[in-house]
Amino acid sequence: MIDIKTPRELARLRRLALAAQGLLQPQPFGRGLAGARKAVNHLGYVQIDTISVVERAHNHVLHSRVLGFESAMTHKLLRNRDVFEYWSHAAAFLPMDDFRFTLPYKHAIKSGQTHWFKNSDRKQMNELLARIRSDGPIRSRDLDAHTKKPAAGWWDWKPAKKALEQLYMEGDLMVSDREGFQKTYDLTERVLPAQVNTQMPSAEECAEHMVNQQLKCHGLVTLKGITYLRRDTRLRKAVNALVNERLAQRTLAQIRVGGGEVFLVEPDALERSLPRIKNRMLILSPFDNSVIQRERLKALFQFDYQIECYVPADKRKYGYFCLPLLFRDEFIGRMDCKAHRKTRQLEIKSLYLEPHGFDEDLVFSALVDAIAAFRQFQNCDSVSLTRATPELVGKRLRATLERV
């Protein structure tokens, strides 16, 4: 066990984690569509989210890492069959080459070992499959079944839509296309490229894939983080066994941060050459791969972060959809934004910068550059600031924004 105690040692771990995520280099995956494809393959998944106060999470994640990325490119990746949609720890775009590793979860749902919807209408599911097989792809809005009561949420979907989603989660259907959040479903055999491996992996193969993938995209991982939000007991046991085996073989090492959280790392990782840190600020998505594991974020970066869109309005501290702010190798604040698309205005509802040890002018300059790039990404023409902490930063930022 290696104990990380000094600020310098901790800074190196942070750089290792951020470099693995592609957040230190200006273009770690290349540019444009090819860069986006490489980024998804490296990260292992990009989370899909429905919240639209700013650009969708999956596009935001790629924008943070790929120069020349445009939101339409995610759709191109899907249509080109470079990625597919399914469930990771949440709804996500996944590399097409990883398709086989979704098969155990699909089988568990289909066999009743786990449930997506508890009461599946098999008769309607079979009718839908027959309709798609004979008539071609279908959108959920094409279905004319009706609910018995107004929909109040995800679980009140009309029966036909539930049947469609169940078929998708069981693996009989895939998303072949989408228009915004309107998905088109088709038979898996008609969507899946012929060369894709469809052999059911064992729990041990899944464990090896997950451990390798997590080390690749995070640099260092916790045992809990490897199977983040996955409740598959057999998979967790296989991961534990593999980790113990690699620790015994010394192909994995343990690192304890500040006497608390224990991370797993490849032994040579601490000696690897890492990118130089630039005076750059990134405005990240709340669902970014680098921040989604909140316990890891707090242990490694001492950044206590919570997305507050699920918190009652009167209990929010920072705002509905606060975006983490990464400067150099530290998270130093958060910014709650809303893109007003009709007026093409980006509103910064609140900006919070926490105490830090960086030069104030460097931070401010990086913040202005980041906001300018973020405004363009949102297809907005102007930026306004409502509230900021510290107030002096807000006053200075307003004056700068008025000149832009």
Side-chain angles (χ1 to χ4, degrees), residues 312-333:
D314 60 341
K315 296 184 179 180
R316 290 175 193 149
K317 184 177 180 181
Y318 298 108
Y320 177 80
F321 202 64
C322 273
L323 313 173
L325 302 179
L326 174 68
F327 178 71
R328 291 178 61 88
D329 59 349
E330 292 187 27
F331 288 90
I332 66 166

Side-chain angles (χ1 to χ4, degrees), residues 341-398:
R341 293 179 177 86
K342 289 184 178 179
T343 59
R344 296 176 65 90
Q345 180 195 43
L346 176 64
E347 178 189 5
I348 302 174
K349 291 176 172 289
S350 59
L351 169 68
Y352 294 86
L353 293 183
E354 299 178 1
H356 56 78
F358 299 115
D359 180 270
E360 295 290 350
D361 287 338
L362 288 179
V363 171
F364 184 80
S365 177
L367 175 63
V368 170
D369 290 344
I371 290 173
F374 196 67
R375 172 188 62 76
Q376 291 179 339
F377 176 52
Q378 304 302 322
N379 290 317
C380 289
D381 298 324
S382 62
V383 184
S384 65
L385 173 64
T386 304
R387 185 173 69 253
T389 303
E391 292 183 5
L392 287 176
V393 173
K395 183 178 180 180
R396 186 178 177 186
L397 184 57
R398 284 190 191 92

Side-chain angles (χ1 to χ4, degrees), residues 84-85 96 99 106 168 171-177 184-189 191-192:
F84 69 103
E85 287 192 40
M96 188 61 79
F99 177 81
K106 292 170 181 173
Y168 163 69
D172 293 294
L173 300 179
M174 289 181 71
V175 174
S176 61
D177 201 357
T184 299
Y185 298 87
D186 200 355
L187 300 178
T188 293
E189 65 227 45
V191 177
L192 196 64

Side-chain angles (χ1 to χ4, degrees), residues 128-146:
L128 268 174
L129 270 180
R131 175 177 169 180
I132 294 170
R133 186 170 286 110
S134 63
D135 298 347
I138 195 170
R139 299 170 299 179
S140 56
R141 70 183 180 198
D142 294 330
L143 304 174
D144 28 65
H146 298 283

Side-chain angles (χ1 to χ4, degrees), residues 63-215:
H63 165 76
S64 298
R65 293 164 172 82
V66 181
L67 284 180
F69 173 79
E70 297 176 1
S71 297
M73 290 176 182
T74 309
H75 186 213
K76 288 181 180 178
L77 291 175
L78 179 66
R79 296 199 71 178
N80 292 346
R81 306 297 184 248
D82 293 316
V83 302
F84 69 103
E85 287 192 40
Y86 195 64
W87 201 257
S88 178
H89 70 267
F93 289 116
L94 302 157
M96 188 61 79
D97 287 345
D98 290 352
F99 177 81
R100 69 186 293 248
F101 296 106
T102 64
L103 296 177
Y105 188 49
K106 292 170 181 173
H107 174 73
I109 295 174
K110 196 165 193 174
S111 64
Q113 296 172 42
T114 190
H115 298 284
W116 189 251
F117 293 118
K118 288 187 177 180
N119 300 309
S120 303
D121 188 335
R122 290 289 157 184
K123 180 175 181 294
Q124 191 159 50
M125 288 167 64
N126 289 333
E127 289 173 352
L128 268 174
L129 270 180
R131 175 177 169 180
I132 294 170
R133 186 170 286 110
S134 63
D135 298 347
I138 195 170
R139 299 170 299 179
S140 56
R141 70 183 180 198
D142 294 330
L143 304 174
D144 28 65
H146 298 283
T147 59
K148 294 181 180 179
K149 60 181 180 179
W154 150 275
W155 49 88
D156 286 327
W157 281 0
K158 55 190 177 183
K161 190 172 182 181
K162 283 186 177 181
L164 191 66
E165 185 74 7
Q166 185 74 19
L167 286 165
Y168 163 69
M169 292 304 299
E170 290 185 6
D172 293 294
L173 300 179
M174 289 181 71
V175 174
S176 61
D177 201 357
R178 64 154 61 220
E179 183 180 339
F181 267 74
Q182 181 62 50
K183 295 184 283 190
T184 299
Y185 298 87
D186 200 355
L187 300 178
T188 293
E189 65 227 45
R190 295 201 294 233
V191 177
L192 196 64
Q195 75 275 12
V196 173
N197 187 345
T198 58
Q199 183 178 2
M200 176 72 74
S202 65
E204 291 71 26
E205 287 176 309
C206 286
E208 184 175 19
H209 169 73
M210 292 187 73
V211 170
N212 292 344
Q213 198 281 322
Q214 288 289 295
L215 285 169

